[in-house]
């Protein structure tokens, strides 16, 4: 008789948990997964996918007005938020079904409900005890809103995806990528949008040229961007929210969205009972193989607070499945993880920023290009694209590529492969561009700016 009910019990069927579960099953393990809310997790339900759909919707606003320069006459466009949200919800339900089928077809048993850890090999679910040789914690994260007078009137990205109407006036608080993206979404759809950030400039950790270029482009479009500003209190007067700012001024809004960070969703999970070590913020502490201090308990994705990105959670899930059930101990490769911000315009980045490279004592050459995209020569839109390469003088290796402009994420993905192949600037230069594209600029930049 088997000693345990399952070889692997995964808690959380999000990006990481689903991949780890189905790969483990494919390697021959008997696997179950518990999901308390929605199959596909944050990414599918209240993250990457609905966000990108809303970004597409927002970009149409500019496209309609840009079309005039190309000879089109478009009658006054009207936007219907309720229709967009209904269509988005339909697509997400379809994806929930796809995830259920993927798990079913892989032979992974699904438990719909809240799971808690009882001990290093036992999970409780609906009062039932289930044992497993390994437990994988893949519970993701949850938005964190600071507590202050009136903070209960604020919403988070979770609620923003389900608003009944488009707010006429919206305040976004926070300077991370989610805040920047929602500022672009609401502004693009027609809301009067203010974004507040308490620091000197948003997108901390991104290259400074990305940060300043994006801020300039957002201001040009009319987003009311205010740095070094916070909300002190929120008063509700009827349907209107009055936000009192740190400088004493008051802004009226219909919605106030806090995008001020996410915390690991590890409360009420029983990790303490199993003596699993966690950080102060509740992140499960793991080694390079995603194993906690308890030999049978692993953790992946956002609840480990490493890199909060879907492809990273997936890579960690794949690595755990290979380590435990394919006899191939595997550590995810965190080198040159590319990332995009689906702001308006987009940002894309891979490798070291200029300041990171200098802080690591690299002597670097900087190549940078600011130009007006070809499309806007006819639309008349005053938009600039920024592209930048950070190159190590000693080895000629390209250490970082950064971009603000349309399709930046699409362009940077290919460059991430080049960086992982240790491409040099000479190899970039020797590569023939595709003309006329924005991407060709990355292989034609010749003059050092620093
Ligand atoms: C607004 C927003 C936009 C984003 N955009 C992007 C993007 O463009 N690109 C990108 O790469 N990343 C993006 N992310 C981040 C991405 O969504 C996460 O990094 C990714 O979903 C993490 O996957 P995960 O498996 O760790 O957790 P999740 O996907 O969060 O899954 C965890 C699952 O566990 C379940 N769960 C939790 N506790 C229990 C329990 N006790 N019992 C049973 N089930 C439980 C939850 O219900 C959830 O379904 C975005 C996130 C947000 C919020």
């Amino acid at each position: 008789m088997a000693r345990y009910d399952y070889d692997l019990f995964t808690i959380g069927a999000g990006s990481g948990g689903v991949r780890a579960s189905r790969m483990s099953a494919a390697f021959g393990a008997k696997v179950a997964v518990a999901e308390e809310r929605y199959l596909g997790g944050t990414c599918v339900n209240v993250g990457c996918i609905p966000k990108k759909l809303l970004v597409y919707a927002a970009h149409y606003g500019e496209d309609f007005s840009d079309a005039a320069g190309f000879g089109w006459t478009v009658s006054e466009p009207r936007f219907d938020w309720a229709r967009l949200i209904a269509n988005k919800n339909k697509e997400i339900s379809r994806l929930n079904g796809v995830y259920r089928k993927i798990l079913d077809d892989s032979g992974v048993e699904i438990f719909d409900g809240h799971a808690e850890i009882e001990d290093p090999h036992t999970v409780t679910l609906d009062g039932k005890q289930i044992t497993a040789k390994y437990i994988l914690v893949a519970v993701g994260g949850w938005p964190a809103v600071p507590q202050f007078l009136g903070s209960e009137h604020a919403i988070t990205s979770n609620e923003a995806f389900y608003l009944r109407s488009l707010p006429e006036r919206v305040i976004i608080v926070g300077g991370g990528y989610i805040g920047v993206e929602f500022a672009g979404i609401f502004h693009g759809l027609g809301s009067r949008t203010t974004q507040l950030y308490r620091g000197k400039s948003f997108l901390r950790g991104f290259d400074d040229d990305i940060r300043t270029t994006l801020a300039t482009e957002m201001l040009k479009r009319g987003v009311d961007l205010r740095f070094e500003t916070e909300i002190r209190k929120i008063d509700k007067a009827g349907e209107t929210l009055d936000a009192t700012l740190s400088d004493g001024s008051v802004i009226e809004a219909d919605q106030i969205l806090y995008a001020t960070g996410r915390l690991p969703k590890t409360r009420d999970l029983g990790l303490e009972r199993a003596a699993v070590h966690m950080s102060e913020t509740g992140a499960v502490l793991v080694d390079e193989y995603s194993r906690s201090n308890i030999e049978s308990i692993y953790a992946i994705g956002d609840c480990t607070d490493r890199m909060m990105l879907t492809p990273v959670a997936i890579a960690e899930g794949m690595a755990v499945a290979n380590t435990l059930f394919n006899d191939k101990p595997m550590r995810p490769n965190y080198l040159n993880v590319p990332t995009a911000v689906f702001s308006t315009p987009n940002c894309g980045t891979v490798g070291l920023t200029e300041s990171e490279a200098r802080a690591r004592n690299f002597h670097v050459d900087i190549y940078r290009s600011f130009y007006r995209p070809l499309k806007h020569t006819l639309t008349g839109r005053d938009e600039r694209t920024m592209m930048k390469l950070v190159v190590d003088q000693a080895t000629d290796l390209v250490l970082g590529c950064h971009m603000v402009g349309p399709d930046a994420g699409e362009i940077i993905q290919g460059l991430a492969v080049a960086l992982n192949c240790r491409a040099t600037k000479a190899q970039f230069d020797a590569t023939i561009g595709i003309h006329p594209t924005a991407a060709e600029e990355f292989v034609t930049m010749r003059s050092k700016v620093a």
Side-chain angles (χ1 to χ4, degrees):
M1 250 181 58
R3 202 169 143 213
Y4 301 108
D5 299 326
Y6 295 95
D7 297 314
L8 177 71
F9 193 99
T10 303
I11 307 181
S15 307
V18 167
R19 184 57 66 95
S21 300
R22 70 183 183 93
M23 291 304 294
S24 299
F27 294 140
K30 188 177 178 203
V31 184
V33 61
E35 174 52 53
E36 68 178 5
R37 194 174 294 266
Y38 31 42
L39 290 173
T42 303
C43 173
V44 166
N45 294 277
V46 287
C48 333
I49 301 297
K51 183 261 315 270
K52 189 86 188 272
L53 293 175
L54 265 52
V55 168
Y56 283 129
H59 281 203
Y60 275 101
E62 288 190 352
D63 292 344
F64 287 127
S65 55
D66 288 349
F70 291 92
W72 289 92
T73 302
V74 181
S75 57
E76 192 59 36
R78 285 203 319 270
F79 170 68
D80 182 348
W81 169 265
R83 179 143 46 102
L84 169 65
I85 296 303
N87 288 345
K88 180 268 291 177
N89 291 347
K90 203 164 132 200
E91 171 57 10
I92 284 167
S93 302
R94 189 188 70 82
L95 290 173
N96 295 145
V98 169
Y99 272 82
R100 189 169 289 278
K101 186 164 173 357
I102 288 173
L103 289 168
D104 282 343
D105 290 352
S106 319
V108 174
E109 200 169 330
I110 305 170
F111 289 89
D112 295 305
H114 175 81
E116 284 188 28
I117 296 175
E118 213 46 55
D119 67 41
H121 292 285
T122 312
V123 165
T124 327
L125 198 135
D126 288 336
K128 201 171 133 197
Q129 296 216 326
I130 301 163
T131 60
K133 184 169 182 197
Y134 297 106
I135 296 171
L136 177 62
V137 181
V139 293
W142 201 251
V145 179
Q147 296 302 302
F148 60 90
L149 207 63
S151 60
E152 70 276 13
H153 302 306
I155 60 165
T156 71
S157 55
N158 284 352
E159 294 77 46
F161 289 115
Y162 292 95
L163 290 177
R164 293 158 79 91
S165 58
L166 178 71
E168 258 175 54
R169 303 156 300 176
V170 64
I171 301 174
I172 316 275
V173 185
Y177 76 92
I178 295 175
V180 167
E181 290 173 339
F182 270 103
I185 289 169
F186 282 118
H187 177 73
L189 295 177
S191 305
R192 213 157 74 219
T193 306
T194 303
Q195 185 175 5
L196 310 177
Y197 178 53
R198 64 180 178 186
K200 275 193 171 20
S201 172
F202 57 19
L203 291 183
R204 192 155 52 90
F206 284 76
D207 191 272
D208 287 341
D209 280 308
I210 286 194
R211 302 168 80 188
T212 49
T213 308
L214 182 64
T216 307
E217 292 300 324
M218 286 174 69
L219 285 165
K220 271 197 249 172
R221 280 175 163 79
V223 176
D224 179 7
L225 205 51
R226 305 190 194 188
F227 294 143
E228 298 184 294
T229 309
E230 285 182 86
I231 294 183
R232 288 270 178 264
K233 65 168 179 152
I234 300 173
D235 294 300
K236 193 166 194 289
E239 290 304 304
T240 299
L241 300 173
D242 292 325
T244 305
L245 308 188
S246 38
D247 64 5
S249 63
V250 177
I251 323 183
E252 285 187 359
D254 303 297
Q255 293 290 351
I256 300 179
L257 191 163
Y258 265 74
T260 43
R262 293 173 62 82
L263 289 175
K265 202 169 178 299
T266 49
R267 280 174 67 182
D268 303 325
L269 196 59
L271 286 162
E272 302 82 359
R273 276 196 293 273
V276 173
H277 291 166
M278 286 182 277
S279 73
E280 267 178 26
T281 58
V284 182
L285 298 174
V286 290
D287 67 13
E288 289 174 307
Y289 295 91
S290 298
R291 187 165 63 179
S292 74
N293 59 308
I294 304 297
E295 216 170 274
S296 58
I297 300 183
Y298 283 67
I300 54 170
D302 284 8
C303 68
T304 59
D305 202 6
R306 286 177 279 186
M307 278 183 168
M308 292 201 189
L309 291 170
T310 281
V312 172
I314 290 174
E316 289 167 357
M318 295 271 285
V320 167
N322 271 288
T323 301
L324 295 181
F325 303 111
N326 194 29
D327 213 13
K328 278 195 191 139
M330 200 182 269
R331 288 170 294 193
N333 176 10
Y334 297 99
L335 192 67
N336 295 325
V337 174
T339 177
V341 181
F342 297 99
S343 45
T344 312
N346 287 186
C347 308
T349 182
V350 61
L352 297 184
T353 65
E354 180 178 347
S355 40
E356 277 169 347
R358 292 193 195 283
R360 292 185 197 185
N361 292 324
F362 283 104
H363 294 287
V364 289
D365 289 332
I366 302 298
Y367 298 82
R368 189 174 48 220
S369 174
F370 278 107
Y371 66 93
R372 184 182 211 181
L374 175 63
K375 181 180 170 188
H376 295 311
T377 55
L378 294 201
T379 65
R381 184 178 292 284
D382 175 22
E383 180 179 314
R384 292 284 179 278
T385 283
M386 189 284 297
M387 288 178 171
K388 175 172 180 177
L389 290 175
V390 180
V391 179
D392 178 25
Q393 282 174 4
T395 59
D396 198 40
L397 286 174
V398 178
L399 302 175
C401 309
H402 311 281
M403 172 174 176
V404 178
D407 302 318
E410 307 288 344
I411 292 169
I412 290 290
Q413 178 68 80
L415 296 182
V417 178
L419 259 63
N420 271 335
C421 294
R422 297 177 57 77
T424 60
K425 176 67 168 68
Q427 287 166 327
F428 269 58
D429 294 347
T431 303
I432 291 178
I434 301 173
H435 187 70
T437 63
E440 69 178 319
E441 196 69 20
F442 270 118
V443 295
T444 53
M445 282 190 265
R446 295 287 187 271
S447 322
K448 291 176 210 168
V449 296

